[in-house]
Amino acid sequence: MDHEHDQPGTWRRRIGHPRELWPRETEDLHPWLIENLDALGGCLGIGRLEFTGREVLMGEQWTHTGQDGVDRVVGGLRLDLSARDRRGQVVVVEAQFGPADHKHLGQLVTYAHAGQAAVAVWVVVDADPLFYTEHLTALAELNEIFSGRRQFLVAALTLESEPRATEVPLGALRPQLRRIDLVTGGTAQ
């Protein structure tokens, strides 16, 4: 647990590691995101979101016969969450425990295409979410290319307390969603 001094010697903000609240991505974090889709939509400025699926299988699949002679279905992509915005447009959500990485950026772009999404959201969950400038710049460029057809958005999800004059107990930690500005890398207001 980290503490941030907002005013020297006076106010403290406790920063916890998100795995304290969500130890596992699929079993713990995804259900929280589903329950808080409206908060995510509000943070990103896209409004109310309606949940439509979790661990959604999409993309090309085929049958492969293994060395044991057994046919298995292989391929396909597994999207973390899908939703619809107030206009009924598809929103895909790729969540990951941070820092941001190339794998999840690639998955986000691929899911956006395969799901024919109007909005693709990358949620990075960490005590101090880090984003490569190159990732954010690539998404900003994709927003220019797909203007009016698809929008890429990024949010950081942390676990922290409000500033207090006294020691902050673990139970006082609350999830905080913040939109990340693709140009500056800072928190968008």
Side-chain angles (χ1 to χ4, degrees):
M1 289 4 103
D2 296 322
H3 291 88
E4 175 186 298
H5 293 280
D6 292 326
Q7 297 174 354
T10 307
W11 298 95
R12 292 181 160 228
R13 177 189 317 261
R14 180 175 180 169
I15 307 294
H17 196 282
R19 287 196 188 259
E20 293 179 54
L21 184 60
W22 309 292
R24 300 159 304 179
E25 183 178 318
T26 304
E27 296 86 355
D28 302 311
L29 176 61
H30 291 178
W32 184 89
L33 284 169
I34 292 166
E35 290 175 18
N36 292 277
L37 277 175
D38 286 342
L40 178 61
C43 156
L44 297 171
I46 58 176
R48 188 172 181 84
L49 295 175
E50 177 187 348
F51 171 72
T52 58
R54 174 178 169 194
E55 294 294 309
V56 178
L57 192 59
M58 60 173 50
E60 184 178 3
Q61 300 173 46
W62 59 93
T63 303
H64 173 73
T65 304
Q67 291 179 354
D68 57 5
V70 176
D71 286 344
R72 292 183 178 81
V73 176
V74 296
L77 309 167
R78 204 169 286 280
L79 168 67
D80 289 346
L81 303 174
S82 65
R84 292 206 178 267
D85 66 13
R86 64 187 174 277
R87 296 177 303 204
Q89 295 181 312
V90 175
V91 177
V92 297
V93 179
E94 172 63 17
Q96 76 163 101
F97 285 106
D101 60 36
H102 303 328
K103 174 186 171 197
H104 288 87
L105 171 63
Q107 287 174 208
L108 177 72
V109 173
T110 303
Y111 296 152
H113 170 75
Q116 298 179 355
V119 179
V121 179
W122 188 8
V123 180
V124 176
V125 186
D126 204 354
D128 184 17
L130 298 174
F131 299 91
Y132 286 97
T133 301
E134 293 83 0
H135 292 164
L136 299 178
T137 303
L139 291 175
E141 186 172 319
L142 286 172
N143 280 342
E144 289 178 20
I145 293 167
F146 287 103
S147 180
R149 295 180 294 155
R150 179 171 297 140
Q151 183 179 22
F152 290 91
L153 301 170
V154 178
L157 177 57
T158 58
L159 193 57
E160 58 191 72
S161 71
E162 293 298 320
R164 289 186 172 185
T166 59
E167 187 67 24
V168 179
L170 178 61
L173 298 179
R174 300 286 180 255
Q176 299 291 322
L177 281 162
R178 292 180 179 84
R179 181 177 178 167
I180 302 300
D181 184 291
L182 298 180
V183 175
T184 68
T187 303
Q189 298 299 330

